Amino acid sequence: MKMIKNLTATVFAAAVSFVSVTCAQAEDTIKIGIDASYKPYAYVDPDGQLAGFEIELIEAVCSEIKANCELSNVPWDGIFTALETGTIDMIGTTVTMSKVRLEKNDASRMIYRVGFAFMVLEDADTSKGIEGLKGQAIGTIVGTQSYYDYIKSVLGADTDIRGYDTADAAVLDLDAGRIAAFQSDNLQLEQSYVSTGNYKLVGQPTFDPKYVGDGRAWFFKKGSPELVGKINKGLDAVIAAGKVDELGMKYFKTKLVTK
Amino acid sequence: MEVVAPYFSFWLKGAALTLGLSAASFPISAFLGLIVAFAAVSPSRPAALAAAMYINLFRGLPEIIVIFLIFYGSNIVLTMLAQPFGIQIGGTNPAIAALIALSIQFGSYAAVIFKDWMGVFPRGYTEAGLAIGMTRLQIRRRIVVPLLLRSATPALGNLFLVMLKISALASLIGVEELSRTTSIIAGSTREPLVCYLIAAGMYLVISAVSGFVQHRFEVAMERSI
C-alpha cells in the first residue's frame, strides 16, 4: 500500500510541476509534436531521450531561428487532432505532402524527397540497368498505388508484380529467387538492406515528382503563415549549410534530395 | 533481447505510470461512486435524477471517447478562454486528462456497485442507529459506508483490474504509460514481438501484485469485524 501511495504522490507531483511550467511559458515557444517510434526518423534511445533524423533537424532549425522549441512525443494516430486543437503548433514528423493534407493544413518547404528504386542481390547482373528487369517478377509493397504505377510505366503494363505486406517478406523472396528485384523507397532500401552489403540498387533511384510526389515536410495548422515563414527561414539556412546532407548520411547512409 | 535490454529503466517508468495512473484515479472514482450512489437513492428527486443521468451517460460512453473529449476538448476550451486575455496556455497534460477521464468514467461503474449494495442493505442497522439517537450523517459515516466498502471490496478489486487495462487507452493521447512505452521501444528497436511479449509479462505482474494487495485488504477487513 505504501508503494501505491508513493506512486500516487509521484503522479501528482509530476502533474503539479507540469501545470506551473506551462503557465510560465513564454509566447514565442513553439510546441512541436513528433511520433518518436520510427527508427531512424525519430525514436527513443535507451535513456529515454528523443533521438533520430527529425529530432536533430528540428534542434538545428530551432537554434538557427533562436526559437524556444518544446518537443513532445505524440502518437501518430492523434497527431493531426493534436495540431487542430492547438495541443501542438507543428508536426515535427516529416509527412508526405499529399493534396488532401495540403488542403486542410499549412506545410513548410519540402525537406526531402523520397525516391523510388529497384533492389537486387549483390551478385546480380545490372549492366543493362532497369531495362534489364523487363519481363521478370518484381516485388513491392502491396496497396501502394504509386509503386505499382511506377513499375508499370518503366517496365511495361504487363509486368508480373508481386505485392508483399512488409519489406522483410519481399526481401526473403528476393533471397529465394522468387522475384528478380524488390521495388520500394530508396531510404528504406539503402538504410535497412543495401547497408548490409548483400544487396545493391539497380542504377540510380528516381526522384521525378511525376512518380514520387511532392516530398515530405512539416505540417502546421491552416492559417499560420507567420510560424511557417519563421520555420522556412530556418530550414533554408540549415539546408544551405549542408546539415540535411550530413544527417542523411548519418541516419540513412545516403544523401537526401532536398530540391 | 540484447537490443531491448538497455530500455528496461525507460520501460519500468512506463509500468510505474500505468500503476500510478490507476492507483491515483481509483480512489477518486470510488469516492465519486459513493457520492453518486447516495444521491441515486436519496429522496430528493433532482439529486436522484442527476445521479441517474451521470450513471447512464458514462456507463454508456466508450472510454476512448471520454479520454479524447476531455483531453482535446479541454485544450480547445482553455485556448478559447485564454484568448481574450492575450495569454497562451500550454495545454492540458495528457496524464492529467487521462486521470480525470478514468476517474469520471469509472465513478459511474463504482456508483452502480454501491447502489446495488445499498439496495440489499439490512434496514435493521439504520434503525438501530436511529434508536440510539445517531443523526443520518452519523449513520452513514459510521455504519453504512464501512459495511458497504467491506461488502463491495471484491467487486471494486475487479473494477481496478479493468481500469489497469483500460488505462492503456491513455497511450493514444501521448501518456507514456506501459503501452505507449512499449510501442516506442518496439519502433526504436524494430523488435515488436519481443517488446509486446515483455509488456504482456509486465501487465501480468502488475495485476498479480494488485490482486495480492486486494487479498490482504480483504483479510484485514475480515479481521476488523
Side-chain angles (χ1 to χ4, degrees), chain A residues 15 35 37 39 44 73 87, chain B residues 7 75 96 171 180 187-188 190:
Chain A
D35 188 0
S37 60
K39 200 176 183 179
V44 168
N73 196 343
T87 310
Chain B
Y7 282 92
N75 276 330
I96 300 301
S171 64
R180 174 69 182 152
S188 299
R190 301 267 188 81

Side-chain angles (χ1 to χ4, degrees), chain A residues 1 4 7-8 15 18 22 25-27 31 35-37 39-40 43-46 48 73-75 77-78 81-82 85 87 191, chain B residues 6-7 10 16 19-20 23-24 71-72 75-76 88-91 93 96 99 171-172 174 176 180 183-184 187-188 190 213:
Chain A
M1 272 320 260
I4 294 179
L7 276 172
T8 317
F18 182 88
T22 49
Q25 243 171 31
E27 204 157 344
K31 288 172 285 169
D35 188 0
S37 60
K39 200 176 183 179
Y43 57 99
V44 168
D45 68 16
N73 196 343
V74 179
D77 306 15
T81 319
T85 55
T87 310
Q191 193 257 334
Chain B
Y7 282 92
F10 181 60
L19 188 55
F71 180 58
Y72 293 120
N75 276 330
I76 294 174
Q88 202 187 14
I89 295 179
N93 181 328
I96 300 301
L99 179 78
S171 64
L172 291 170
E176 281 180 16
R180 174 69 182 152
S183 71
I184 290 173
S188 299
R190 301 267 188 81
V213 170

